[in-house]
Amino acid sequence: MEESAQYQRLYNPTESEKNIFLGKTYGWMALAMIISAVCAFFSASNKYILGLIWGNGGWGFFALAIAEIVLVWSISLLIRKLSLGTMIAFYILYAILNGITLSSIFIIYNIQSISYAFLGSAIMFGSMSIYGLTTKKSLASWGHYLVMALIGIIVVSVLNGIMSMVTKQPLTMLDILISIATVVIFTALTAYDTQKILRTAQRADSSEAYQKLAVYGALELYLDFINIFLSLLRLFGRRK
């Protein structure tokens, strides 16, 4: 979460105000997780929705993926201009769309694998989040390297997808390496993002600007968790 000068104020919140900001951030994240889980389960059990997503060559899935990217970019780039209500609406819509796209995991993997992957993700996410909240070491220097690593993973993943489509064969070993790298990167990002949120909480007041930052921080944590979860599922999940 970029801490622009617009939100840097000479304000020293009480410990209670700091906790309220952190509580709102994690509360928004938890809400998104619940919405996505409900939408994923409902979509997986609805043949009509599955047909819209995966019919006609899977164009529905690609449309949803593009819509998700647009929403995340809109929230990130327009955070100063969006009203709090609009930002919350975009955030909830993103959680709904991501839940629908996640419905495929209930078709591909058995429920036990999904449960284990979720539990493992929760442990890893929780541990690194606690580390980010409690460590005295500044993690700011991690940001540059993590962004570079994330861009690298995205590029390799796209190339991997193209090669798989051309050769008609999955590149299994490369898939495994990408999943391992993704787990490592987003686990580190969890600690990094958590510390940024903590620094924001140390200046937070009750203004709309900081309420929007709480929502944006929740989005970052949500993305960290989901990417860890999906990567663990690809690595260890047992397919139906």
Side-chain angles (χ1 to χ4, degrees), residues 7-205:
Y7 302 119
Q8 294 180 1
R9 308 191 179 169
L10 298 176
Y11 180 73
N12 185 26
T14 64
E15 195 65 31
S16 176
E17 288 174 312
K18 295 177 187 177
N19 291 334
I20 289 173
F21 180 85
L22 291 173
K24 285 182 178 179
T25 302
Y26 282 92
W28 281 117
M29 180 205 168
L31 176 63
M33 295 290 296
I34 293 171
I35 291 173
S36 294
V38 171
C39 290
F41 185 79
F42 175 77
S43 299
S45 59
N46 189 300
K47 293 182 179 180
Y48 177 73
I49 294 178
L50 291 176
L52 289 176
I53 299 173
W54 300 108
N56 299 318
W59 285 107
F61 176 83
F62 289 113
L64 287 174
I66 292 172
E68 289 181 40
I69 293 172
V70 171
L71 281 173
V72 171
W73 281 354
S74 297
I75 294 173
S76 301
L77 299 178
L78 302 176
I79 183 173
R80 298 182 188 180
K81 298 180 180 179
L82 293 176
S83 67
L84 176 61
T86 302
M87 190 167 180
I88 291 173
F90 281 5
Y91 177 72
I92 293 175
L93 179 59
Y94 176 80
I96 293 172
L97 294 180
N98 197 47
I100 296 173
T101 59
L102 287 173
S103 62
S104 60
I105 67 175
F106 289 99
I107 302 170
I108 299 173
Y109 300 97
N110 63 46
I111 192 66
Q112 188 176 37
S113 292
I114 295 173
S115 300
Y116 286 154
F118 184 87
L119 179 61
S121 302
I123 293 173
M124 295 175 69
F125 176 89
S127 299
M128 294 307 290
S129 194
I130 291 172
Y131 175 73
L133 288 171
T134 58
T135 183
K136 301 301 181 181
K137 177 183 177 180
S138 173
L139 306 180
S141 60
W142 289 18
H144 178 69
Y145 299 105
L146 290 173
V147 169
M148 290 178 60
L150 184 57
I151 292 173
I153 285 294
I154 293 173
V155 171
V156 173
S157 297
V158 171
L159 293 176
N160 180 43
I162 293 173
M163 289 296 296
S164 297
M165 292 174 63
V166 171
T167 61
K168 306 297 183 182
Q169 294 290 334
L171 304 179
T172 306
M173 184 53 66
L174 186 56
D175 282 338
I176 292 174
L177 293 176
I178 290 173
S179 296
I180 293 173
T182 301
V183 170
V184 173
I185 291 170
F186 280 96
T187 300
L189 273 171
T190 298
Y192 174 76
D193 289 335
T194 299
Q195 191 176 79
K196 285 196 300 181
I197 292 168
L198 177 61
R199 289 203 302 269
T200 303
Q202 292 170 346
R203 297 193 304 274
D205 54 32

